Amino acid sequence: PIAAAPPPRDFVLWSLFNLVWCNPCCLGLCALSYSIKSRDRIIAQDLTGAGIYGKKAKVLNIVALFWGICVTITSIVLVIVLWPRSTERP
C-alpha cells in the first residue's frame, strides 16, 4: 500500500517564539500570520497552499531569528566594551 505523505509543516511554535523574543521589524508577526494561514490550509486539505505558506513562514522565521541573534550579540559586546569606560572617573 502507498503511504500518504505527511502534511507540510506550519512552524507555529517557532513563529510564536520569534514573535515574543526575536521580533525585528515585526518579522515574527508576519511569520506567525503565514504559519496560521498554513495551518488553516492543512485543515482545509489544501496541501499545496499549506506548503507555500509554510515555506514563507520558515524563511521569515530564519531571518527573524538571525537578526534577533545578531542584535543580542551586538548588544552584549557593546555593554562589555562600553561598561568599563562609563564607570571610570577622570
Side-chain angles (χ1 to χ4, degrees), residues 24-88:
C25 302
C26 295
L27 288 176
L29 181 63
C30 294
L32 182 63
S33 172
Y34 280 113
S35 295
I36 292 171
K37 287 179 182 182
S38 176
R39 183 165 282 189
D40 290 343
R41 291 287 151 197
I42 291 170
I43 292 171
Q45 298 297 318
D46 177 15
L47 299 182
T48 305
I52 291 170
Y53 285 125
K55 287 178 184 176
K56 288 181 182 180
K58 182 179 179 181
V59 168
L60 288 171
N61 279 321
I62 290 170
V63 172
L65 186 63
F66 177 74
W67 278 13
I69 289 172
C70 287
V71 167
T72 302
I73 290 173
T74 304
S75 299
I76 290 170
V77 168
L78 286 175
V79 166
I80 290 172
V81 169
L82 297 178
W83 186 268
R85 291 182 184 169
S86 65
T87 59
E88 292 176 2

Side-chain angles (χ1 to χ4, degrees), residues 2 7 9 17 28 64 76 79 90:
I2 298 175
R9 297 189 57 191
F17 171 81
I76 290 170
V79 166

Side-chain angles (χ1 to χ4, degrees), residues 6-18:
R9 297 189 57 191
D10 54 17
F11 304 105
V12 171
L13 292 177
W14 190 11
S15 299
L16 283 171
F17 171 81
N18 283 332

